[in-house]
Amino acid sequence: MDHAEKARALFLEGYNCAQAVVCAFGDLTGLDNDTAARLASSFGGGMGRLREVCGTVSGALLVLGLLRGYADPKDFKAKTEHYHLVQEFVRRFQAINGTILCRDLLKNIKTVPGNNPEPRTPEYYAARPCLRHVGEAAEIVDALLCETEQNR
């Protein structure tokens, strides 16, 4: 099972969009599923259901940070390279979807107002593009990891 398939399967198990992406890359990040799920838990629903940056984008950027990020705040070259990687991820996601904002990705979807997560029903999954976005985010991360590995 590749990372996109794994992310989609995790989303269908009930993990939020960010968790599904981060947990799918556990084989590369070294994070156990519990740690990965906790790390990404705040980003589902566009940051705690605020409908801001799509959780799949946030999850993907967490993975890219873990695998291609920088730790030394004085390493300007590494910081620059990482920011370019982040921007390339966003460019590719936007090229497919037109936006990285959850509220825009769901603008024609009827959602239940309020702060509480919605129950995961067949109707929930059928009405939302989230499953597709989870897979897209994982596919873009895989492509970028492959490309950056070749340039190392």
Side-chain angles (χ1 to χ4, degrees):
M1 183 179 298
D2 67 23
H3 293 118
E5 292 170 330
K6 175 89 174 171
R8 287 189 291 266
L10 289 165
F11 185 75
L12 290 173
E13 284 180 32
Y15 287 93
N16 76 37
C17 46
Q19 290 173 317
V21 174
V22 176
C23 291
F25 284 88
D27 63 316
L28 299 181
T29 66
L31 294 176
D32 62 87
N33 206 59
D34 186 66
T35 302
R38 288 175 185 272
L39 177 68
S41 63
S42 300
F43 299 99
M47 299 181 185
R49 206 163 186 258
L50 290 170
R51 303 295 188 231
E52 296 295 336
V53 173
C54 174
T56 67
V57 172
S58 296
L61 298 183
L62 285 167
V63 171
L64 289 173
L66 285 164
L67 298 175
R68 296 291 189 272
Y70 65 96
D72 181 355
K74 294 179 176 96
D75 188 345
F76 185 76
K77 181 179 184 289
K79 185 176 188 177
T80 299
E81 288 173 358
H82 185 65
Y83 283 7
H84 287 192
L85 184 64
V86 166
Q87 291 167 17
E88 181 58 19
F89 175 88
V90 169
R91 186 194 68 72
R92 292 182 190 191
F93 191 89
Q94 282 180 319
I96 298 167
N97 299 297
T99 185
I100 63 168
L101 297 178
C102 178
R103 70 177 155 267
D104 294 337
L105 293 166
L106 297 179
K107 70 181 171 189
N108 296 319
I109 308 299
K110 184 178 186 236
T111 61
V112 175
N115 301 329
N116 299 332
E118 293 181 50
R120 296 289 185 91
T121 64
E123 294 77 22
Y124 173 96
Y125 290 113
R128 284 168 176 70
C130 305
L131 183 63
R132 186 180 82 236
H133 298 318
V134 165
E136 291 165 349
E139 288 169 355
I140 296 168
V141 168
D142 270 332
L144 290 170
L145 291 175
C146 183
E147 292 165 22
T148 57
E149 186 63 32
Q150 293 171 357
N151 295 330
R152 287 183 152 200

